[in-house]
mmCIF file of all heavy atoms in Angstrom:
data_model
loop_
_atom_site.group_PDB
_atom_site.id
_atom_site.type_symbol
_atom_site.label_atom_id
_atom_site.label_comp_id
_atom_site.label_asym_id
_atom_site.label_seq_id
_atom_site.Cartn_x
_atom_site.Cartn_y
_atom_site.Cartn_z
ATOM 1 N N LYS A 1 5.368 5.879 7.859
ATOM 2 C CA LYS A 1 3.909 5.831 7.877
ATOM 3 C C LYS A 1 3.329 7.187 7.510
ATOM 4 O O LYS A 1 4.024 8.201 7.518
ATOM 5 C CB LYS A 1 3.414 5.416 9.276
ATOM 6 C CG LYS A 1 3.873 4.036 9.708
ATOM 7 C CD LYS A 1 3.322 3.671 11.075
ATOM 8 C CE LYS A 1 1.839 3.388 11.039
ATOM 9 N NZ LYS A 1 1.316 2.819 12.304
ATOM 10 N N VAL A 2 2.027 7.159 7.160
ATOM 11 C CA VAL A 2 1.291 8.401 6.915
ATOM 12 C C VAL A 2 0.280 8.576 8.052
ATOM 13 O O VAL A 2 -0.212 7.592 8.614
ATOM 14 C CB VAL A 2 0.562 8.390 5.554
ATOM 15 C CG1 VAL A 2 1.551 8.294 4.412
ATOM 16 C CG2 VAL A 2 -0.442 7.242 5.476
ATOM 17 N N SER A 3 0.003 9.842 8.360
ATOM 18 C CA SER A 3 -0.944 10.110 9.445
ATOM 19 C C SER A 3 -2.386 10.001 8.987
ATOM 20 O O SER A 3 -3.291 9.750 9.789
ATOM 21 C CB SER A 3 -0.690 11.502 10.030
ATOM 22 O OG SER A 3 -0.810 12.488 9.016
ATOM 23 N N THR A 4 -2.603 10.170 7.684
ATOM 24 C CA THR A 4 -3.963 10.100 7.147
ATOM 25 C C THR A 4 -3.936 9.604 5.717
ATOM 26 O O THR A 4 -2.932 9.774 5.010
ATOM 27 C CB THR A 4 -4.645 11.489 7.196
ATOM 28 O OG1 THR A 4 -5.987 11.383 6.723
ATOM 29 C CG2 THR A 4 -3.905 12.494 6.310
ATOM 30 N N ILE A 5 -5.026 8.985 5.292
ATOM 31 C CA ILE A 5 -5.174 8.539 3.906
ATOM 32 C C ILE A 5 -5.946 9.626 3.161
ATOM 33 O O ILE A 5 -7.052 9.983 3.569
ATOM 34 C CB ILE A 5 -5.937 7.203 3.818
ATOM 35 C CG1 ILE A 5 -5.187 6.118 4.586
ATOM 36 C CG2 ILE A 5 -6.113 6.779 2.363
ATOM 37 C CD1 ILE A 5 -5.951 4.811 4.700
ATOM 38 N N PRO A 6 -5.401 10.186 2.088
ATOM 39 C CA PRO A 6 -6.089 11.285 1.395
ATOM 40 C C PRO A 6 -7.431 10.865 0.811
ATOM 41 O O PRO A 6 -7.595 9.733 0.345
ATOM 42 C CB PRO A 6 -5.105 11.690 0.294
ATOM 43 C CG PRO A 6 -4.218 10.502 0.114
ATOM 44 C CD PRO A 6 -4.128 9.850 1.441
ATOM 45 N N SER A 7 -8.381 11.784 0.841
ATOM 46 C CA SER A 7 -9.702 11.510 0.274
ATOM 47 C C SER A 7 -9.760 11.890 -1.203
ATOM 48 O O SER A 7 -10.524 11.304 -1.964
ATOM 49 C CB SER A 7 -10.783 12.273 1.045
ATOM 50 O OG SER A 7 -10.504 13.663 1.036
ATOM 51 N N LYS A 8 -8.942 12.877 -1.601
ATOM 52 C CA LYS A 8 -8.929 13.275 -3.013
ATOM 53 C C LYS A 8 -8.305 12.169 -3.860
ATOM 54 O O LYS A 8 -7.254 11.616 -3.511
ATOM 55 C CB LYS A 8 -8.154 14.580 -3.181
ATOM 56 C CG LYS A 8 -8.889 15.788 -2.602
ATOM 57 C CD LYS A 8 -8.178 17.085 -2.946
ATOM 58 C CE LYS A 8 -8.975 18.282 -2.430
ATOM 59 N NZ LYS A 8 -8.313 19.565 -2.765
ATOM 60 N N GLU A 9 -8.968 11.874 -4.974
ATOM 61 C CA GLU A 9 -8.593 10.718 -5.791
ATOM 62 C C GLU A 9 -7.153 10.773 -6.283
ATOM 63 O O GLU A 9 -6.421 9.789 -6.202
ATOM 64 C CB GLU A 9 -9.547 10.620 -6.992
ATOM 65 C CG GLU A 9 -10.954 10.204 -6.624
ATOM 66 C CD GLU A 9 -11.038 8.735 -6.270
ATOM 67 O OE1 GLU A 9 -11.079 7.916 -7.179
ATOM 68 O OE2 GLU A 9 -11.057 8.421 -5.067
ATOM 69 N N LYS A 10 -6.741 11.917 -6.809
ATOM 70 C CA LYS A 10 -5.395 11.997 -7.375
ATOM 71 C C LYS A 10 -4.334 11.771 -6.304
ATOM 72 O O LYS A 10 -3.359 11.042 -6.520
ATOM 73 C CB LYS A 10 -5.189 13.351 -8.056
ATOM 74 C CG LYS A 10 -3.823 13.481 -8.739
ATOM 75 C CD LYS A 10 -3.654 14.795 -9.487
ATOM 76 C CE LYS A 10 -4.431 14.798 -10.781
ATOM 77 N NZ LYS A 10 -4.032 15.952 -11.643
ATOM 78 N N ARG A 11 -4.530 12.350 -5.142
ATOM 79 C CA ARG A 11 -3.578 12.156 -4.051
ATOM 80 C C ARG A 11 -3.567 10.707 -3.581
ATOM 81 O O ARG A 11 -2.515 10.149 -3.247
ATOM 82 C CB ARG A 11 -3.922 13.086 -2.885
ATOM 83 C CG ARG A 11 -3.712 14.561 -3.195
ATOM 84 C CD ARG A 11 -4.089 15.437 -2.024
ATOM 85 N NE ARG A 11 -3.950 16.850 -2.327
ATOM 86 C CZ ARG A 11 -4.219 17.834 -1.486
ATOM 87 N NH1 ARG A 11 -4.655 17.546 -0.255
ATOM 88 N NH2 ARG A 11 -4.072 19.085 -1.849
ATOM 89 N N LYS A 12 -4.750 10.101 -3.568
ATOM 90 C CA LYS A 12 -4.837 8.700 -3.153
ATOM 91 C C LYS A 12 -4.073 7.805 -4.134
ATOM 92 O O LYS A 12 -3.367 6.873 -3.729
ATOM 93 C CB LYS A 12 -6.301 8.275 -3.086
ATOM 94 C CG LYS A 12 -6.519 6.906 -2.451
ATOM 95 C CD LYS A 12 -7.986 6.517 -2.483
ATOM 96 C CE LYS A 12 -8.815 7.475 -1.632
ATOM 97 N NZ LYS A 12 -10.251 7.145 -1.676
ATOM 98 N N LEU A 13 -4.194 8.097 -5.423
ATOM 99 C CA LEU A 13 -3.480 7.315 -6.437
ATOM 100 C C LEU A 13 -1.972 7.470 -6.291
ATOM 101 O O LEU A 13 -1.222 6.504 -6.442
ATOM 102 C CB LEU A 13 -3.921 7.748 -7.839
ATOM 103 C CG LEU A 13 -5.284 7.218 -8.293
ATOM 104 C CD1 LEU A 13 -5.770 7.965 -9.527
ATOM 105 C CD2 LEU A 13 -5.209 5.724 -8.573
ATOM 106 N N ILE A 14 -1.535 8.681 -6.008
ATOM 107 C CA ILE A 14 -0.096 8.899 -5.799
ATOM 108 C C ILE A 14 0.384 8.073 -4.610
ATOM 109 O O ILE A 14 1.448 7.439 -4.659
ATOM 110 C CB ILE A 14 0.186 10.401 -5.576
ATOM 111 C CG1 ILE A 14 -0.050 11.175 -6.878
ATOM 112 C CG2 ILE A 14 1.615 10.619 -5.074
ATOM 113 C CD1 ILE A 14 0.035 12.684 -6.729
ATOM 114 N N LEU A 15 -0.418 8.055 -3.564
ATOM 115 C CA LEU A 15 -0.078 7.275 -2.374
ATOM 116 C C LEU A 15 -0.012 5.781 -2.704
ATOM 117 O O LEU A 15 0.939 5.083 -2.342
ATOM 118 C CB LEU A 15 -1.108 7.528 -1.275
ATOM 119 C CG LEU A 15 -0.715 7.101 0.141
ATOM 120 C CD1 LEU A 15 0.337 8.047 0.708
ATOM 121 C CD2 LEU A 15 -1.943 7.080 1.051
ATOM 122 N N LEU A 16 -1.023 5.286 -3.401
ATOM 123 C CA LEU A 16 -1.065 3.862 -3.749
ATOM 124 C C LEU A 16 0.076 3.490 -4.684
ATOM 125 O O LEU A 16 0.658 2.403 -4.571
ATOM 126 C CB LEU A 16 -2.415 3.526 -4.401
ATOM 127 C CG LEU A 16 -3.643 3.652 -3.501
ATOM 128 C CD1 LEU A 16 -4.921 3.440 -4.309
ATOM 129 C CD2 LEU A 16 -3.579 2.663 -2.338
ATOM 130 N N ASN A 17 0.399 4.381 -5.624
ATOM 131 C CA ASN A 17 1.521 4.147 -6.530
ATOM 132 C C ASN A 17 2.812 3.920 -5.766
ATOM 133 O O ASN A 17 3.667 3.131 -6.179
ATOM 134 C CB ASN A 17 1.703 5.358 -7.464
ATOM 135 C CG ASN A 17 1.160 5.112 -8.854
ATOM 136 O OD1 ASN A 17 1.148 3.982 -9.331
ATOM 137 N ND2 ASN A 17 0.714 6.159 -9.503
ATOM 138 N N HIS A 18 2.945 4.628 -4.674
ATOM 139 C CA HIS A 18 4.158 4.494 -3.860
ATOM 140 C C HIS A 18 4.083 3.261 -2.959
ATOM 141 O O HIS A 18 5.057 2.504 -2.853
ATOM 142 C CB HIS A 18 4.364 5.746 -3.014
ATOM 143 C CG HIS A 18 5.576 5.682 -2.159
ATOM 144 N ND1 HIS A 18 6.860 5.732 -2.671
ATOM 145 C CD2 HIS A 18 5.724 5.539 -0.803
ATOM 146 C CE1 HIS A 18 7.730 5.624 -1.691
ATOM 147 N NE2 HIS A 18 7.081 5.506 -0.542
ATOM 148 N N ILE A 19 2.945 3.046 -2.345
ATOM 149 C CA ILE A 19 2.789 1.919 -1.417
ATOM 150 C C ILE A 19 3.022 0.582 -2.109
ATOM 151 O O ILE A 19 3.638 -0.331 -1.550
ATOM 152 C CB ILE A 19 1.382 1.939 -0.787
ATOM 153 C CG1 ILE A 19 1.230 3.140 0.142
ATOM 154 C CG2 ILE A 19 1.096 0.645 -0.017
ATOM 155 C CD1 ILE A 19 -0.191 3.360 0.612
ATOM 156 N N VAL A 20 2.533 0.454 -3.341
ATOM 157 C CA VAL A 20 2.603 -0.844 -4.024
ATOM 158 C C VAL A 20 4.050 -1.286 -4.246
ATOM 159 O O VAL A 20 4.333 -2.484 -4.395
ATOM 160 C CB VAL A 20 1.827 -0.784 -5.362
ATOM 161 C CG1 VAL A 20 2.625 -0.055 -6.441
ATOM 162 C CG2 VAL A 20 1.449 -2.177 -5.833
ATOM 163 N N LYS A 21 4.996 -0.334 -4.225
ATOM 164 C CA LYS A 21 6.407 -0.677 -4.409
ATOM 165 C C LYS A 21 6.969 -1.469 -3.234
ATOM 166 O O LYS A 21 8.047 -2.045 -3.336
ATOM 167 C CB LYS A 21 7.219 0.599 -4.619
ATOM 168 C CG LYS A 21 6.864 1.365 -5.886
ATOM 169 C CD LYS A 21 7.618 2.685 -5.964
ATOM 170 C CE LYS A 21 7.183 3.493 -7.175
ATOM 171 N NZ LYS A 21 7.843 4.818 -7.235
ATOM 172 N N ARG A 22 6.218 -1.502 -2.141
ATOM 173 C CA ARG A 22 6.672 -2.262 -0.970
ATOM 174 C C ARG A 22 6.407 -3.765 -1.128
ATOM 175 O O ARG A 22 6.798 -4.554 -0.269
ATOM 176 C CB ARG A 22 5.996 -1.741 0.301
ATOM 177 C CG ARG A 22 6.294 -0.266 0.581
ATOM 178 C CD ARG A 22 5.846 0.157 1.963
ATOM 179 N NE ARG A 22 6.081 1.588 2.184
ATOM 180 C CZ ARG A 22 5.981 2.199 3.350
ATOM 181 N NH1 ARG A 22 5.638 1.499 4.433
ATOM 182 N NH2 ARG A 22 6.200 3.488 3.460
ATOM 183 N N PHE A 23 5.732 -4.131 -2.203
ATOM 184 C CA PHE A 23 5.385 -5.532 -2.439
ATOM 185 C C PHE A 23 6.192 -6.101 -3.599
ATOM 186 O O PHE A 23 6.400 -5.435 -4.621
ATOM 187 C CB PHE A 23 3.889 -5.660 -2.740
ATOM 188 C CG PHE A 23 2.993 -5.309 -1.587
ATOM 189 C CD1 PHE A 23 2.546 -4.000 -1.414
ATOM 190 C CD2 PHE A 23 2.622 -6.271 -0.667
ATOM 191 C CE1 PHE A 23 1.721 -3.661 -0.347
ATOM 192 C CE2 PHE A 23 1.796 -5.941 0.410
ATOM 193 C CZ PHE A 23 1.354 -4.639 0.567
ATOM 194 N N ASN A 24 6.597 -7.344 -3.449
ATOM 195 C CA ASN A 24 7.334 -8.055 -4.487
ATOM 196 C C ASN A 24 6.368 -8.497 -5.594
ATOM 197 O O ASN A 24 5.412 -9.220 -5.319
ATOM 198 C CB ASN A 24 8.021 -9.280 -3.862
ATOM 199 C CG ASN A 24 8.916 -10.016 -4.843
ATOM 200 O OD1 ASN A 24 8.767 -9.899 -6.059
ATOM 201 N ND2 ASN A 24 9.855 -10.780 -4.324
ATOM 202 N N PRO A 25 6.598 -8.081 -6.847
ATOM 203 C CA PRO A 25 5.667 -8.443 -7.926
ATOM 204 C C PRO A 25 5.663 -9.932 -8.260
ATOM 205 O O PRO A 25 4.752 -10.418 -8.921
ATOM 206 C CB PRO A 25 6.165 -7.620 -9.116
ATOM 207 C CG PRO A 25 7.606 -7.360 -8.826
ATOM 208 C CD PRO A 25 7.689 -7.223 -7.332
ATOM 209 N N ASP A 26 6.667 -10.667 -7.800
ATOM 210 C CA ASP A 26 6.761 -12.104 -8.101
ATOM 211 C C ASP A 26 6.319 -12.985 -6.939
ATOM 212 O O ASP A 26 6.506 -14.198 -6.973
ATOM 213 C CB ASP A 26 8.198 -12.468 -8.490
ATOM 214 C CG ASP A 26 8.646 -11.783 -9.772
ATOM 215 O OD1 ASP A 26 7.810 -11.640 -10.675
ATOM 216 O OD2 ASP A 26 9.817 -11.386 -9.859
ATOM 217 N N LYS A 27 5.704 -12.353 -5.935
ATOM 218 C CA LYS A 27 5.300 -13.120 -4.760
ATOM 219 C C LYS A 27 3.796 -13.079 -4.563
ATOM 220 O O LYS A 27 3.145 -12.080 -4.878
ATOM 221 C CB LYS A 27 5.982 -12.543 -3.505
ATOM 222 C CG LYS A 27 5.590 -13.237 -2.212
ATOM 223 C CD LYS A 27 6.278 -12.624 -0.995
ATOM 224 C CE LYS A 27 5.796 -13.288 0.295
ATOM 225 N NZ LYS A 27 6.440 -12.732 1.493
ATOM 226 N N GLN A 28 3.246 -14.169 -4.054
ATOM 227 C CA GLN A 28 1.852 -14.193 -3.632
ATOM 228 C C GLN A 28 1.804 -14.005 -2.127
ATOM 229 O O GLN A 28 2.587 -14.626 -1.394
ATOM 230 C CB GLN A 28 1.186 -15.516 -4.024
ATOM 231 C CG GLN A 28 0.925 -15.652 -5.517
ATOM 232 C CD GLN A 28 -0.032 -16.789 -5.818
ATOM 233 O OE1 GLN A 28 -0.295 -17.635 -4.982
ATOM 234 N NE2 GLN A 28 -0.546 -16.809 -7.021
ATOM 235 N N TYR A 29 0.883 -13.155 -1.673
ATOM 236 C CA TYR A 29 0.795 -12.811 -0.260
ATOM 237 C C TYR A 29 -0.491 -13.359 0.345
ATOM 238 O O TYR A 29 -1.548 -13.338 -0.295
ATOM 239 C CB TYR A 29 0.803 -11.294 -0.082
ATOM 240 C CG TYR A 29 2.107 -10.627 -0.444
ATOM 241 C CD1 TYR A 29 2.404 -10.320 -1.760
ATOM 242 C CD2 TYR A 29 3.043 -10.310 0.541
ATOM 243 C CE1 TYR A 29 3.603 -9.701 -2.106
ATOM 244 C CE2 TYR A 29 4.243 -9.689 0.216
ATOM 245 C CZ TYR A 29 4.522 -9.393 -1.105
ATOM 246 O OH TYR A 29 5.702 -8.787 -1.436
ATOM 247 N N THR A 30 -0.386 -13.831 1.571
ATOM 248 C CA THR A 30 -1.601 -14.143 2.323
ATOM 249 C C THR A 30 -2.190 -12.818 2.811
ATOM 250 O O THR A 30 -1.520 -11.775 2.771
ATOM 251 C CB THR A 30 -1.294 -15.036 3.533
ATOM 252 O OG1 THR A 30 -0.448 -14.306 4.447
ATOM 253 C CG2 THR A 30 -0.601 -16.321 3.110
ATOM 254 N N GLU A 31 -3.432 -12.856 3.300
ATOM 255 C CA GLU A 31 -4.041 -11.628 3.814
ATOM 256 C C GLU A 31 -3.233 -11.085 4.996
ATOM 257 O O GLU A 31 -3.048 -9.869 5.125
ATOM 258 C CB GLU A 31 -5.484 -11.885 4.225
ATOM 259 C CG GLU A 31 -6.223 -10.624 4.654
ATOM 260 C CD GLU A 31 -7.701 -10.854 4.866
ATOM 261 O OE1 GLU A 31 -8.388 -11.210 3.869
ATOM 262 O OE2 GLU A 31 -8.158 -10.692 6.014
ATOM 263 N N LYS A 32 -2.739 -11.965 5.837
ATOM 264 C CA LYS A 32 -1.937 -11.538 6.991
ATOM 265 C C LYS A 32 -0.657 -10.848 6.535
ATOM 266 O O LYS A 32 -0.252 -9.818 7.090
ATOM 267 C CB LYS A 32 -1.602 -12.731 7.881
ATOM 268 C CG LYS A 32 -0.798 -12.334 9.127
ATOM 269 C CD LYS A 32 -0.456 -13.544 9.975
ATOM 270 C CE LYS A 32 0.292 -13.124 11.250
ATOM 271 N NZ LYS A 32 1.512 -12.338 10.967
ATOM 272 N N GLU A 33 -0.012 -11.405 5.516
ATOM 273 C CA GLU A 33 1.216 -10.799 5.000
ATOM 274 C C GLU A 33 0.931 -9.433 4.392
ATOM 275 O O GLU A 33 1.721 -8.486 4.549
ATOM 276 C CB GLU A 33 1.862 -11.724 3.973
ATOM 277 C CG GLU A 33 2.476 -12.980 4.577
ATOM 278 C CD GLU A 33 2.933 -13.972 3.540
ATOM 279 O OE1 GLU A 33 2.317 -14.010 2.437
ATOM 280 O OE2 GLU A 33 3.889 -14.723 3.812
ATOM 281 N N MET A 34 -0.200 -9.312 3.668
ATOM 282 C CA MET A 34 -0.610 -8.010 3.127
ATOM 283 C C MET A 34 -0.782 -7.019 4.267
ATOM 284 O O MET A 34 -0.276 -5.886 4.220
ATOM 285 C CB MET A 34 -1.932 -8.144 2.368
ATOM 286 C CG MET A 34 -1.845 -8.769 0.998
ATOM 287 S SD MET A 34 -1.269 -7.608 -0.260
ATOM 288 C CE MET A 34 -2.661 -6.474 -0.368
ATOM 289 N N ASN A 35 -1.503 -7.441 5.295
ATOM 290 C CA ASN A 35 -1.775 -6.557 6.431
ATOM 291 C C ASN A 35 -0.485 -6.119 7.130
ATOM 292 O O ASN A 35 -0.344 -4.958 7.519
ATOM 293 C CB ASN A 35 -2.691 -7.250 7.433
ATOM 294 C CG ASN A 35 -4.086 -7.488 6.877
ATOM 295 O OD1 ASN A 35 -4.473 -6.880 5.876
ATOM 296 N ND2 ASN A 35 -4.831 -8.371 7.510
ATOM 297 N N ASP A 36 0.450 -7.048 7.277
ATOM 298 C CA ASP A 36 1.704 -6.732 7.964
ATOM 299 C C ASP A 36 2.470 -5.625 7.232
ATOM 300 O O ASP A 36 3.057 -4.740 7.867
ATOM 301 C CB ASP A 36 2.578 -7.980 8.080
ATOM 302 C CG ASP A 36 2.029 -8.976 9.095
ATOM 303 O OD1 ASP A 36 1.194 -8.571 9.923
ATOM 304 O OD2 ASP A 36 2.437 -10.152 9.049
ATOM 305 N N VAL A 37 2.460 -5.687 5.897
ATOM 306 C CA VAL A 37 3.143 -4.643 5.115
ATOM 307 C C VAL A 37 2.402 -3.319 5.241
ATOM 308 O O VAL A 37 2.997 -2.260 5.475
ATOM 309 C CB VAL A 37 3.247 -5.047 3.624
ATOM 310 C CG1 VAL A 37 3.835 -3.900 2.804
ATOM 311 C CG2 VAL A 37 4.117 -6.295 3.477
ATOM 312 N N LEU A 38 1.071 -3.364 5.120
ATOM 313 C CA LEU A 38 0.264 -2.144 5.116
ATOM 314 C C LEU A 38 0.199 -1.478 6.491
ATOM 315 O O LEU A 38 -0.004 -0.261 6.585
ATOM 316 C CB LEU A 38 -1.138 -2.452 4.599
ATOM 317 C CG LEU A 38 -1.193 -2.899 3.127
ATOM 318 C CD1 LEU A 38 -2.601 -3.299 2.742
ATOM 319 C CD2 LEU A 38 -0.676 -1.793 2.212
ATOM 320 N N LYS A 39 0.371 -2.260 7.564
ATOM 321 C CA LYS A 39 0.414 -1.660 8.904
ATOM 322 C C LYS A 39 1.599 -0.706 9.033
ATOM 323 O O LYS A 39 1.589 0.199 9.882
ATOM 324 C CB LYS A 39 0.521 -2.758 9.966
ATOM 325 C CG LYS A 39 -0.775 -3.509 10.199
ATOM 326 C CD LYS A 39 -0.571 -4.654 11.197
ATOM 327 C CE LYS A 39 -1.844 -5.464 11.393
ATOM 328 N NZ LYS A 39 -1.644 -6.616 12.297
ATOM 329 N N GLY A 40 2.609 -0.916 8.189
ATOM 330 C CA GLY A 40 3.760 -0.022 8.190
ATOM 331 C C GLY A 40 3.501 1.279 7.467
ATOM 332 O O GLY A 40 4.376 2.151 7.411
#
């Protein structure tokens, strides 16, 4: 986990670029499933 979400755009993009790898590109997620991954 991260302790804080960066406010600077470039840092936020780097974070999102990494986070998105936790999701399967061939799967559809419910909102609950999205939340469960992001809570991590």
